[in-house]
Amino acid sequence: MKSTYLNLVLAAAMLTQGGINVAQAAGAPMVTFIATPQQLSVNQSASKTVGVSQVGGQSAQVLYGDPTKPGLYTVLLRLEPHKRILPLSHPDSRFVTVLSGTFYIGFGDKYDQAGLKALPPGGIYTEPAHANHFGETRDEPALVAITGYGPSGTTYANPADAPKPGK
């Protein structure tokens, strides 16, 4: 656990201002560096990042590995304020850490605001494979780190809720 957390922190630092802006291949030697959530820059559209909700107002950066292939990966996901993620699941189990802001998460096949739990920075949750979950941000953006073992993907509980390309 300590090693996984250390690797996550080190991988997250890849996005420090002026730092490396490309993903590190899985299995490659990991470089040592440190960053705070405020130093991370996540500004690439999430629209082409596998394993995230694809909701407009998201930015994502693959830090390590490739979520489309078998193996360990880590993705940073930034959600703008007032974004809602409707119930969805992923084929792989994942571990999520809130790095900044407050992220509200719940589990189930239908969106239920009463079932949301507020997770401040340092909050964690798991996304078991194929478990439908939903979430939102409120008045502030949130930055989360998602680590899983791919290949990943996203399936909405109600296919009509899936964002359309370009929206």
Side-chain angles (χ1 to χ4, degrees), residues 53-117:
S53 65
Q54 310 293 325
V55 171
Q58 289 183 357
S59 302
Q61 178 71 43
V62 177
L63 297 178
Y64 184 82
D66 182 344
T68 68
K69 297 179 180 170
L72 184 67
Y73 68 87
T74 297
V75 174
L76 276 185
L77 179 65
R78 184 179 195 286
L79 294 109
E80 295 298 323
H82 305 287
K83 291 299 169 183
R84 181 173 284 176
I85 299 171
L86 296 174
L88 52 76
S89 66
H90 310 283
D92 56 317
S93 294
R94 298 134 57 100
F95 184 87
V96 182
T97 304
V98 178
L99 299 175
S100 66
T102 300
F103 186 63
Y104 298 80
I105 185 73
F107 286 84
D109 297 338
K110 297 202 181 297
Y111 184 87
D112 173 18
Q113 191 161 23
L116 291 170
K117 179 171 176 76

Side-chain angles (χ1 to χ4, degrees), residues 139-162:
D139 292 335
E140 63 183 339
L143 179 66
V144 300
I146 304 166
T147 297
Y149 193 90
S152 191
T154 300
T155 303
Y156 275 82
N158 177 358
D161 291 339

Side-chain angles (χ1 to χ4, degrees), residues 10-11 14 20 22-31 33 62-66:
L10 294 175
M14 291 179 73
I20 302 169
V22 297
Q24 183 175 2
M30 191 169 283
V31 297
F33 42 84
V62 177
L63 297 178
Y64 184 82
D66 182 344

